[in-house]
Amino acid sequence: METHEARLRATELRHAIARHNDLYYRQDAPEISDAEYDALMRELADLEARFPDIATPDSPTKIVGARPSEKFEKFTHALPMLSLANAMNAGELREFDARVRRQLDWGSETPIDYVAELKIDGLAVELAYENRRLVAGSTRGDGTIGELITRNLLTIAAIPRELPSDAPDLLDVRGEVYIRKSDFAAMNARREEEGEPTFANPRNAAAGSLRQLDPAVTASRPLAIFLYGIGRTGDLRLDSHEDWLRRLSAWGFPVNPERRLCRGIDEAVEYYESIPSIRGDLPFDIDGVVGKVNRLDLQERLGILSRSPRWAIAAKFPAQQVQTVVEAIDIQVGRTGALTPVARLTPVAVGGVTVSNASLHNQDEIDRLDVRVGDTVVIQRAGDVIPEVVSVVTESRPSEAVPFSIPDSISHHCPVCGSEIVRLPDEVAWRCVGSACPAKRIESLCHFASKNAMNIDGLGEKLIRQVVERGVVQSPADIYRLTREQWAGLDRMADKSAENLLAAIAATKSTTLRRFIFALGIRHVGEATAKALADAFGSIHAVMDATTEQLAFVPDIGPIVAASIRGWFEDPGNRQLVLDLLALGIAPAWEKTRTVGRLAGKTMVLTGTLASMDRGEAKQRLEALGATVAGSVSRKTSVVVAGESAGSKLDKARELGIEIWDEERLLREIGSE
Ligand code: IVH
């Protein structure tokens, strides 16, 4: 790989990671599994290690988590709350031990003591005690600044409000808030009954519950906590991590008793390897084992990297595998008409969830696995979400099982609308060609309304299915045509919800051009391409009328994508759809984005003291986004960033009528990149 390729890929990875951080930490709605996230992070870290030139100061490999949400007051941790480096298997755990020894110049004979703990899958928090009274509770946030959620944490009865007299004057304790599996199941069942949305997993439920503006809501959720670490400790010094855990427990903090003090890495590996077999029986979800150097003097000598301590490691588990039987292979029809084979499985528990379906993706994958109806297969849940078929146990194959062919299984016709199906020479997927196929219709409407497209709040698959099946909605334009009465007439739709939905639909009329283009669902036009088109053409009419050559001139758009876009807009039905949407009042606005970096072209001046970073870091981060940072204010200055006790520069900026940002605004501007 060449440096410029590495740089491109790293930029892509950083964008993806930033988005997933936001989804996970701020919206409590992750879209990918932890394993997939870890893979992105690793790929980026590897690239940055191989090509040191491409590293940037604001790379997610150097920053913990995401910036705190704006809905809570901010809380600056006295000592940063760090993250952990990962090991994916026993070998990597041993490499961690080797690194520790090397750094400590440790002989090969003496083992190092590690505390092996369970890595609880919840939300990291800090409890700050002053004079043995709880004064603040906060989330980790970006590691430096978190959200102040004291009142919410106080709803957890197990958290001591006061500490015994032998506790130090100053004490920060860290731990993980979580929800037990059984409480989670009961809570979701209740929500389901009451028609409220259910949570995807206990972690999201815990995070969502803790970050409620109304503590009464938090109080109604079954939150629990384990403490596993410390921040400031006043004048108290202990020798080891294990001593601290015992002390915390003695002071009344819930500390997980399931841990082992290991003499050497062999014992730690043994512990790590013993956990998967009891994982399913644990009352809470875990996502690994944490190994920590026990002696605090050694921890201190090892120190920290920018993101994580050198003295600790999170050892993740390999994907859990189980065997089950393929009872049938069904064909689903997607938005673009692509036919996806789905294996219907004899239900089986994998890592706490029951799996009864797994996508087989396409004919090539079926051929590669040679999976047949009746086969016993090995399935795994990689990370936490998507189950996949890993292999076929051919010894268990019934004699009558025959190779599976998508077209033969559906007699060469779409299983939903009966239209012809085709497989283009350069494609893996079979597709339904029926333009009125209801399955395609439902999928494209779901895409149109989805979060990253038009973002119609409250319009999900269930409602879309109903309106399509009743024949009142055929195209996205119909969504804007339905009346309040029509919405209110749907199942499980109260008057109030219909009103909210109408308001949500109306709100999407002032959408952005890139969302609008993405929402159209043109093949090969994902979010990035939609943005590139918006930036290149500036209006939907210009995109509609662009020639294939003009389209192919846009950065990142090649001939295939250009032809797909052109082809889409040449279809009279599609053109009419766009015109209908515009006539219904949708006015996609072009948000101009600059060519290099969001702040390119801006001359900025920093003045006063910032609480969250020093001026050097602020300068670096602004420059990374394309801004020029100058030392003095003049008419050419675009923005003055004013921290605490800003003086004459701020006065001058006011005098000249220059835009002024406070620290919060600065963080918002640089944080979301
Ligand atoms: S120690 C400096 N111990 O995992 C060490 N973390 O990926 C900081 N976690 O932010 C963490 N159980 O939210 C530690 N027994 C445990 C843990 C644990 C869960 C979480 C915690 C942390 C994240 C790091």
Side-chain angles (χ1 to χ4, degrees):
M1 191 184 259
E2 305 265 341
T3 310
H4 71 274
E5 288 169 310
R7 184 169 285 118
L8 260 181
R9 179 70 187 140
T11 308
E12 237 171 60
L13 288 165
R14 285 183 200 125
H15 279 280
I17 291 166
R19 186 166 155 268
H20 291 302
N21 275 346
D22 192 65
L23 286 166
Y24 184 90
Y25 288 106
R26 294 179 45 158
Q27 304 187 35
D28 303 321
E31 281 176 8
I32 57 172
S33 68
D34 290 358
E36 286 166 309
Y37 177 85
D38 289 345
L40 294 177
M41 218 40 176
R42 282 186 155 225
E43 188 185 343
L44 179 57
D46 284 352
L47 280 179
E48 288 176 349
R50 273 168 56 205
F51 302 91
D53 286 356
I54 67 168
T56 59
D58 60 349
S59 176
T61 53
K62 304 208 170 54
I63 298 169
V64 180
R67 307 221 146 247
S69 145
E70 267 120 47
K71 65 180 190 183
F72 292 99
E73 203 181 310
K74 301 204 168 65
F75 178 85
T76 306
H77 302 291
L79 295 174
M81 286 181 79
L82 300 168
S83 181
L84 292 169
N86 289 335
M88 302 313 284
N89 49 48
E92 293 186 9
L93 205 43
R94 291 184 194 282
E95 282 168 24
F96 161 74
D97 177 62
R99 269 196 310 276
V100 166
R101 293 166 167 281
R102 226 177 12 254
Q103 278 150 11
L104 292 174
D105 241 337
W106 203 262
S108 58
E109 297 304 308
T110 335
I112 292 196
D113 287 354
Y114 294 104
V115 178
E117 297 169 12
L118 298 180
K119 187 167 186 295
I120 311 293
D121 200 6
L123 188 77
V125 298
E126 179 176 74
L127 306 171
Y129 291 82
E130 280 174 19
N131 298 319
R132 287 160 291 279
R133 277 178 171 276
L134 179 67
V135 291
S138 55
T139 62
R140 182 174 71 174
D142 66 3
T144 307
I145 302 177
E147 297 147 325
L148 188 65
I149 50 157
T150 318
R151 297 207 309 142
N152 295 7
L153 282 168
L154 281 171
T155 67
I156 304 176
I159 294 179
R161 275 67 178 153
E162 284 186 30
L163 300 180
S165 57
D166 60 334
D169 289 351
L170 210 57
L171 181 69
D172 299 333
V173 190
R174 280 123 184 227
E176 198 86 352
V177 170
Y178 68 97
I179 291 182
R180 283 181 202 88
K181 291 180 200 167
S182 54
D183 289 336
F184 171 74
M187 170 168 132
N188 255 358
R190 205 170 45 242
R191 290 177 72 86
E192 175 114 54
E193 219 161 78
E194 287 162 8
E196 289 183 66
T198 52
F199 289 106
N201 54 49
R203 195 215 88 92
N204 291 342
S209 302
L210 206 48
R211 298 163 76 229
Q212 290 287 331
L213 282 180
D214 179 2
V217 178
T218 311
S220 72
R221 308 277 172 81
L223 295 171
I225 188 168
F226 275 134
L227 285 308
Y228 53 64
I230 43 160
R232 294 172 305 173
T233 59
D235 51 12
L236 182 61
R237 295 281 169 272
L238 298 181
D239 289 339
S240 71
H241 179 64
E242 180 61 26
D243 287 350
W244 266 111
L245 293 180
R246 291 211 192 106
R247 195 62 75 95
L248 292 179
S249 180
W251 287 333
F253 290 102
V255 174
N256 194 350
E258 178 49 68
R259 62 175 189 272
R260 190 196 291 178
L261 179 54
C262 308
R263 294 276 298 155
I265 196 68
D266 288 344
E267 282 186 34
V269 168
E270 193 185 300
Y271 183 78
Y272 161 69
E273 290 180 334
S274 75
I275 299 300
S277 64
I278 61 151
R279 187 178 177 188
D281 301 326
L282 289 170
F284 41 77
D285 275 350
I286 59 169
D287 59 344
V289 163
V290 185
K292 300 175 182 174
V293 169
N294 189 34
R295 269 175 53 182
L296 297 183
D297 58 331
L298 299 185
Q299 285 192 4
E300 205 161 308
R301 273 174 57 197
L302 287 159
I304 58 170
L305 283 162
S306 55
R307 204 173 164 264
S308 45
R310 288 201 188 83
W311 44 263
I313 187 109
K316 301 290 184 85
F317 303 120
Q320 286 184 291
Q321 297 194 338
V322 292
Q323 293 191 4
T324 185
V325 172
V326 177
E327 295 180 350
I329 298 178
D330 289 348
I331 307 297
Q332 286 181 348
V333 187
R335 168 166 66 87
T336 57
L339 304 180
T340 305
V342 178
R344 303 289 174 209
L345 308 165
T346 306
V348 61
V350 204
V353 281
T354 305
V355 172
S356 44
N357 304 306
S359 174
L360 294 170
H361 307 291
N362 51 49
Q363 186 69 51
D364 287 1
E365 178 69 358
I366 291 180
D367 296 345
R368 186 183 71 79
L369 293 163
D370 184 22
V371 57
R372 308 177 183 191
V373 175
D375 268 344
T376 296
V377 288
V378 176
I379 63 161
Q380 75 176 16
R381 246 175 97 227
D384 299 303
V385 268
I386 309 143
E388 59 176 358
V389 175
V390 185
S391 60
V392 172
V393 187
T394 32
E395 307 85 74
S396 314
R397 172 169 285 164
S399 54
E400 69 279 8
V402 289
F404 187 86
S405 139
I406 294 177
D408 290 350
S409 76
I410 50 176
S411 317
H412 287 259
H413 286 92
C414 170
V416 178
C417 72
S419 301
E420 197 193 332
I421 59 166
V422 296
R423 187 184 198 178
L424 299 177
D426 55 345
E427 290 197 346
V428 281
W430 283 89
R431 284 177 200 282
C432 158
V433 298
S435 58
C437 180
K440 276 162 80 168
R441 203 164 261 173
I442 290 170
E443 289 298 326
S444 26
L445 286 163
C446 288
H447 170 77
F448 182 84
S450 66
K451 197 157 185 175
N452 297 336
M454 295 300 279
N455 192 18
I456 307 182
D457 208 13
L459 185 59
E461 198 200 317
K462 282 188 189 147
L463 278 184
I464 289 176
R465 203 167 270 285
Q466 275 193 61
V467 287
V468 170
E469 280 165 6
R470 292 178 182 213
V472 289
V473 167
Q474 276 161 5
S475 86
D478 294 332
I479 295 175
Y480 294 86
R481 293 190 179 113
L482 286 203
T483 61
R484 191 174 160 280
E485 288 66 38
Q486 281 174 303
W487 287 116
L490 302 174
D491 299 346
R492 296 185 105 181
M493 192 63 157
D495 278 359
K496 182 75 193 141
S497 332
E499 218 153 84
N500 290 344
L501 183 56
L502 270 186
I505 292 172
T508 65
K509 289 184 176 173
S510 54
T511 187
T512 58
L513 182 57
R514 58 196 235 201
R515 278 179 177 274
F516 184 72
I517 297 173
F518 176 59
L520 295 175
I522 305 167
R523 269 190 72 207
H524 303 304
V525 179
E527 282 177 83
T529 308
K531 179 173 181 298
L533 285 169
D535 289 346
F537 294 100
S539 84
I540 188 65
H541 290 287
V543 182
M544 247 161 116
D545 295 335
T547 62
T548 315
E549 291 69 38
Q550 287 170 329
L551 290 165
F553 206 68
V554 176
D556 297 335
I557 294 186
I560 295 177
V561 181
S564 162
I565 299 167
R566 187 69 220 132
W568 197 90
F569 283 109
E570 263 167 16
D571 178 315
N574 291 339
R575 286 187 90 82
Q576 193 55 50
L577 167 65
V578 173
L579 296 176
D580 285 354
L581 287 168
L582 299 179
L584 285 159
I586 295 161
W590 175 37
E591 309 165 296
K592 188 166 170 20
T593 42
R594 288 145 203 92
T595 40
V596 251
R598 210 147 28 80
L599 299 177
K602 282 206 192 284
T603 304
M604 314 205 35
V605 175
L606 293 158
T607 179
T609 320
L610 298 170
S612 55
M613 64 185 92
D614 62 32
R615 222 182 275 180
E617 192 193 341
K619 180 168 186 287
Q620 253 185 0
R621 296 184 64 160
L622 289 169
E623 284 172 349
L625 293 171
T628 309
V629 178
S632 61
V633 179
S634 74
R635 287 193 190 280
K636 284 198 213 132
T637 311
S638 333
V639 176
V640 169
V641 178
E644 207 55 54
S645 25
S648 62
K649 288 183 192 171
L650 177 58
D651 295 342
K652 182 144 186 210
R654 287 210 178 102
E655 212 174 282
L656 295 173
I658 290 166
E659 187 175 345
I660 296 164
W661 290 0
D662 60 10
E663 184 164 358
E664 197 172 291
R665 172 78 190 273
L666 172 74
L667 289 174
R668 224 170 31 235
E669 295 283 343
I670 61 180
S672 57
E673 180 70 5

